[in-house]
Amino acid sequence: MDQHTQLPKVGMVGGGQLARMTHQATIALGQSLRVLAESETDGAALVAADVQIGSHTDLDALRAFAKDCDAVTFDHEHVPGEHIRALAAEGVNVQPSADALIYAQDKRAMRERLTELGAPVPRWAPVGSLADVEAFGLPCVLKATRGGYDGKGVWVVSTADEAAEVVAGGVGLIAEEKVELARELSAVVARSPFGQVAAYPVVETVQRDGICVEVIAPAPGLSEDLGAQAQRLAVSLAGELGVTGIMAVELFETADGRILVNELAMRPHNSGHWTIEGARTSQFEQHLRGVLDYPLGETALTAKWVVMANVLGGEPGGMRVDERLHHLMAGDPGAKVHLYGKAVRPGRKIGHVTVLGDDLDGLRARAQAAAIWLRDGVGHIEH
Amino acid sequence: MDQHTQLPKVGMVGGGQLARMTHQATIALGQSLRVLAESETDGAALVAADVQIGSHTDLDALRAFAKDCDAVTFDHEHVPGEHIRALAAEGVNVQPSADALIYAQDKRAMRERLTELGAPVPRWAPVGSLADVEAFGLPCVLKATRGGYDGKGVWVVSTADEAAEVVAGGVGLIAEEKVELARELSAVVARSPFGQVAAYPVVETVQRDGICVEVIAPAPGLSEDLGAQAQRLAVSLAGELGVTGIMAVELFETADGRILVNELAMRPHNSGHWTIEGARTSQFEQHLRGVLDYPLGETALTAKWVVMANVLGGEPGGMRVDERLHHLMAGDPGAKVHLYGKAVRPGRKIGHVTVLGDDLDGLRARAQAAAIWLRDGVGHIEH
């Protein structure tokens, strides 16, 4: 409880863009997010008043950080489960719990639990050797059980030689069938400790080179039945796994019209950034409501279509980012830009742009043009 | 320019809720607002990373604060003009300039200049003595030329005795006719140093005891002609006075269908808080764009009607604010709450609530119920 405002204090472990945008939402609720950042130049550390510098793998740093927090939550999945358990045992209100978070940390644990629950998943098996992979069948997808993101930790292997190389890397692996994808979807839900659940409309996520580049809300042309299935699945998993705060269920929509769970994330998620302007309650506010056991907010869309495009860092040189921003604002005064306070490196997510309205094709063109313009300083800004 | 992000650094003098909400908007633009606060418990000081503690009347504090800022702007009108001129002379980019800001600081200067410009104002005169007031005519309204807000510094006087008492107070005064009001309106515009201007829809402001309690966007039943007149007037004044950033033109709509300028504010304004969710570009982002000479953002409404109600502090005792917030969230999951991090004192503005939609009567009832609930912890939360 904050002494001055008599309002709760939430601590978020990790100082990236998710904590940065959560801080914005925290301010509206009368609070100020406490952030555990690795560096003073982390995106959230640049903007939040209450920042501690330390490692999320250092239990003493976590203990000091959690002191006086009404709830502690996460901007990433990398806090060791044993540390979370230690904090909880000492009375810290950690949301989500280690028991839930494991399914966002460890792909094998997630696949095992979802299989037990009868949730639709790709055919999969744990693999420890080349023989296991060959027994599973080639071609297949090998995934590191821990630590992958943005396409890292995922290998599509067609031959024994390729598989052998991945196995030789020595990381824990699972094998999965290579699914015939129609596209990827995401079902974002929130759940409170009390058990209230709220679901956002299911969105389409467009990936390029394993990185999400575009999110369309709601997913265009998604059958009502499949959309409802996806929401029900996400709501049911949130309950079964004991999730609190936001959970994103990344889904494959198969060529034959089924949905399969790809991954789980238990924190605000890139596939929910559109909610800042595009839903009545942003995923960041919703995450706070969830972890504080506040009643959840409305998830309705604020426009017919909402399109978000990630802004990646471009090659060095050319116009400064703020000059690019100038031109974008002049060309598209309705585009909502979010920059994360990061130094530009090629391919790094440095921000996102959201546009809303009635004309989906026009919105997609605007979002894409804005993102390319901010990345490269070239192109034609649509409006 | 921020060394890490290579993005501009804006400094805002004053650490109240306007700076607090401006900081939220600054974060989206990749920046972090620098705040000059009087105390560490000022609303903005509680949430911003880059806070200096000092007085806005201390030129050395202002100088230190302005160092490395790409633009310096204000959360209130109380910085002495000579300090602003001194900073500007030393090369600080102050927006708006002292030459513009005087018309928001000094009601006599404002009335004189607006009269010169032929803008519609109530009949008025400077008054230095009781004889001046009697010559002007009673009853009338006496206004302190400097420092008034929320009904303070305004006296409606009917008799010579009442007028004598105000004159004896020794503050600079003007006298104004008591206008036959139909209601009060506000025309919020933004202007950049380049000269671009953007106007928000004209809103109705509802006052109680001199304090704005409710804002309705757009002003219900306002004739197209009068709305356009009000916007043109505000746009023209912004240009004539050399305003940069946001200017709110507080207007009287008279019983006989004219508009008269009441006051000017040159900063984000209570009558523009609805823009956070209710307009494509919030007044806080727009103010930043204006003072940074960025192109201005779209001002279109995001819903048919937007209603904002101020939340005042209630009497001590009863439920804590966060418990009240719980109940409000349960009863009205679509209400957008903004709390300012202030300790509760009766009658003090501690936050606001915004609701959006198609049914104006329903929205007004919801906003009012939410504000009363947060103030008193009693009543029925509409939804």
Side-chain angles (χ1 to χ4, degrees), chain A residues 1-2 4-9 20-21 23-32 41-42 44-51 277 280-282 285 289 292-298 302-303 320-322 325-327 329-343 356-357 366 383, chain B residues 1-2 4-9 20-21 23-32 41-42 44-51 277 280-282 285 289 292-298 302-303 320-322 325-327 329-343 356-357 366 383:
Chain A
M1 193 66 56
D2 183 273
H4 174 70
T5 60
Q6 297 293 309
L7 286 168
K9 168 67 81 177
R20 184 178 169 105
M21 290 185 275
H23 181 51
Q24 289 176 288
T26 313
I27 293 171
L29 297 185
Q31 308 169 24
S32 184
T41 58
D42 284 359
L46 293 170
V47 300
D50 187 357
V51 177
E277 296 89 4
R280 184 56 61 225
T281 307
S282 82
E285 179 179 330
R289 289 183 179 221
L292 283 168
D293 212 2
Y294 278 3
L296 301 175
E298 262 182 30
T302 62
R320 287 198 324 257
V321 171
D322 74 310
L325 188 54
H326 257 259
H327 287 277
M329 286 175 166
D332 190 346
K336 303 315 299 172
V337 175
H338 297 262
L339 295 175
Y340 303 153
K342 291 183 180 179
L356 303 80
R366 276 173 67 194
H383 187 217
Chain B
M1 194 64 59
D2 182 271
H4 174 71
T5 60
Q6 298 291 309
L7 286 166
K9 168 67 81 176
R20 185 179 169 105
M21 291 185 274
H23 181 51
Q24 288 176 288
T26 312
I27 293 171
L29 298 185
Q31 309 168 25
S32 185
T41 58
D42 283 1
L46 293 170
V47 300
D50 187 357
V51 177
E277 295 89 4
R280 185 56 62 225
T281 308
S282 82
E285 180 179 328
R289 288 182 180 222
L292 283 168
D293 213 1
Y294 279 2
L296 300 175
E298 263 182 31
T302 62
R320 289 199 322 259
V321 171
D322 74 311
L325 189 55
H326 258 259
H327 287 278
M329 286 175 166
D332 191 347
K336 303 314 300 173
V337 175
H338 297 261
L339 295 176
Y340 304 153
K342 291 183 180 179
L356 304 80
R366 277 173 65 192
H383 187 216

Side-chain angles (χ1 to χ4, degrees), chain A residues 294-320:
Chain A
Y294 278 3
L296 301 175
E298 262 182 30
T299 54
L301 287 160
T302 62
K304 186 175 174 193
W305 295 107
V306 188
V307 179
M308 184 228 59
N310 279 325
V311 177
L312 305 182
E315 296 300 323
M319 250 183 262
R320 287 198 324 257

